[in-house]
Amino acid sequence: KMAEKLLNFDEPLDIPLLENVLHVVYTSSNASERTMAQNVLTKFKEHPDAWTRVDDILSKAQNQETKFFALQVLQPVIQYHWKALPRAQCDGIRNFIVDKVIKLSTTEESLRKEKVFLQKLNDTLVKIIKQEWPRNWSNFVGEIIAASKTNESICENNMVILKMLSEEIFDFSEGKMTAAKTSELKQQFNSEFSMIYQLCEVVLLNSKKPELLSVSLDAMLGFLSWIPIGYVFETKMVQLLIDRFMPEPTFRNAAVKCLTEIASITIGDQYDKLFAELLVLFMKRLVTIIPPNIDIAAAFSRGSSEDKKFIQNLALFFCGFF
């Protein structure tokens, strides 16, 4: 009866019953009960209309496990059946996930409290973006930039989304997308990156929120592997990293990681002078942090974990340069 009720898609979904079945899977000490419950969930996920229940589950479920289950149901639909769905249904799913992400990232409290679930939602949204952008969501970048300007909590989560999208397109696309789709997304990201960079620069120049600054530096580190060199040497990026973030212990390691990525760029001789200027600025800042006469080995052995990371990151920086 339990299975029949959950698998009857002509009737409204019994959310408490679904949560009870999931509770059995995760907590029951009876192996046969767990197996029976798991079989019900598997049949539910495999039902062709299962995805139509997702919004109801996410809106009404009380337990995180149930919400995670709903997103699991949605994943194969996005990955394998998205193009077969009617446009209105694609728009509906997309808008629902976007609304959920915004709702959970609007306040500092919900951003921290719902961190794990929000990360799952972000992952689902990135999968949708890869399907929709740019053809069916041409203003995606404009929308995420505009939303980021409404408050710093939304901006913090949006930086995470942009970094995840960058990684999916430039680092982990092999085997996940066709070469043509990967090329299309890379070109689109490049063509619209100026708006993303401007947001990053505004945040790094003006924000005083440590969490937002940290995720923005982390996002920038991800971008540096592929952005045009002009964003490095024709903007305030190097100055910001060296003058604002290197002196601050909280951000020092993130800044040096970004500078290491820059130092490792292989490009024509015409930029040699700019790289030399970068090295001079870096050394001038470094001697204010580590005196020239210090015993690095001794400092490493007695330093904190962050100090050790800093010295290791310095070694990587110089290896990248020389």
Side-chain angles (χ1 to χ4, degrees):
K1 287 184 178 180
M2 174 181 67
E4 287 177 9
K5 194 168 185 180
L6 284 179
L7 297 174
N8 183 356
F9 283 78
D10 294 324
E11 297 292 331
L13 178 63
D14 187 334
I15 303 291
L17 177 59
L18 177 62
E19 296 202 293
N20 287 337
V21 173
L22 280 157
H23 183 72
V24 170
V25 169
Y26 286 111
T27 65
S28 177
S29 57
N30 186 312
S32 62
E33 275 188 359
R34 289 199 310 273
T35 301
M36 188 182 301
Q38 186 60 62
N39 288 339
V40 172
L41 294 179
T42 300
K43 288 178 181 177
F44 184 93
K45 284 200 287 188
E46 291 175 349
H47 195 285
D49 295 328
W51 64 272
T52 63
R53 305 292 207 184
V54 168
D55 58 346
D56 206 28
I57 297 171
L58 290 177
S59 299
K60 298 175 182 176
Q62 300 297 310
N63 300 323
Q64 288 286 52
E65 292 85 356
T66 314
K67 295 176 182 178
F68 292 158
F69 175 75
L71 293 179
Q72 288 174 12
V73 170
L74 202 52
Q75 300 289 342
V77 176
I78 297 169
Q79 195 161 355
Y80 303 115
H81 308 298
W82 190 260
K83 290 180 174 60
L85 294 179
R87 173 49 28 199
Q89 291 178 344
C90 291
D91 291 344
I93 295 171
R94 185 183 89 191
N95 293 338
F96 181 81
I97 296 298
V98 168
D99 288 345
K100 276 287 177 186
V101 168
I102 291 174
K103 182 179 179 182
L104 291 182
S105 60
T106 296
T107 67
E108 184 75 15
E109 181 184 2
S110 63
L111 186 66
R112 306 297 165 218
K113 182 181 176 183
E114 302 286 352
K115 182 178 180 181
V116 177
F117 180 49
L118 186 56
Q119 186 63 23
K120 297 285 186 184
L121 280 171
N122 288 343
D123 183 61
T124 302
L125 180 56
V126 167
K127 286 181 169 61
I128 291 173
I129 294 166
K130 285 162 58 182
Q131 293 283 4
E132 292 284 272
W133 185 51
R135 295 183 185 181
N136 296 309
W137 199 357
S138 59
N139 59 339
F140 155 68
V141 172
E143 286 183 11
I144 200 169
I145 298 300
S148 298
K149 294 176 180 177
T150 59
N151 73 52
E152 289 193 317
S153 296
I154 290 177
C155 185
E156 181 181 335
N157 190 61
N158 284 351
M159 285 292 185
V160 173
I161 292 170
L162 288 169
K163 186 200 174 197
M164 290 172 67
L165 182 61
S166 171
E167 289 174 341
E168 283 288 308
I169 294 171
F170 290 92
D171 300 329
F172 309 130
S173 60
E174 189 173 347
K176 293 184 177 181
M177 295 184 287
T178 64
K181 181 62 178 177
T182 301
S183 176
E184 179 185 37
L185 288 174
K186 285 181 177 180
Q187 289 176 18
Q188 195 68 27
F189 217 134
N190 263 300
S191 68
E192 299 195 53
F193 185 72
S194 61
M195 288 190 290
I196 297 170
Y197 177 80
Q198 287 165 16
L199 175 66
C200 290
E201 188 174 273
V202 167
V203 169
L204 295 175
L205 273 169
N206 301 301
S207 179
K208 293 179 173 59
K209 185 182 179 190
E211 296 87 356
L212 175 56
L213 291 170
S214 291
V215 298
S216 299
L217 286 168
D218 199 34
M220 186 58 71
L221 177 61
F223 300 150
L224 279 167
S225 65
W226 58 266
I227 60 174
I229 194 70
Y231 287 106
V232 176
F233 291 118
E234 296 169 22
T235 65
K236 298 176 182 177
M237 185 189 299
V238 170
Q239 178 190 344
L240 274 169
L241 292 170
I242 292 176
D243 292 342
R244 182 173 188 198
F245 295 105
M246 263 188 75
E248 295 289 336
T250 303
F251 307 114
R252 187 172 292 158
N253 279 307
V256 175
K257 283 181 180 179
C258 288
L259 291 164
T260 300
E261 192 70 40
I262 294 170
S264 303
I265 294 172
T266 303
I267 203 158
D269 295 343
Q270 69 268 33
Y271 288 96
D272 283 354
K273 182 181 177 182
L274 295 173
F275 279 107
E277 290 172 359
L278 165 59
L279 183 59
V280 170
L281 291 172
F282 184 88
M283 294 307 298
K284 285 181 178 178
R285 176 59 62 190
L286 184 60
V287 297
T288 68
I289 301 168
I290 302 179
N293 59 348
I294 199 169
D295 184 335
I296 295 288
F300 183 87
S301 64
R302 66 172 179 265
S304 67
S305 61
E306 287 301 303
D307 292 335
K308 287 182 170 67
K309 285 179 186 175
F310 182 57
I311 293 171
Q312 289 170 337
N313 287 330
L314 287 177
L316 292 171
F317 173 83
F318 289 118
C319 286
F321 233 105
F322 300 109

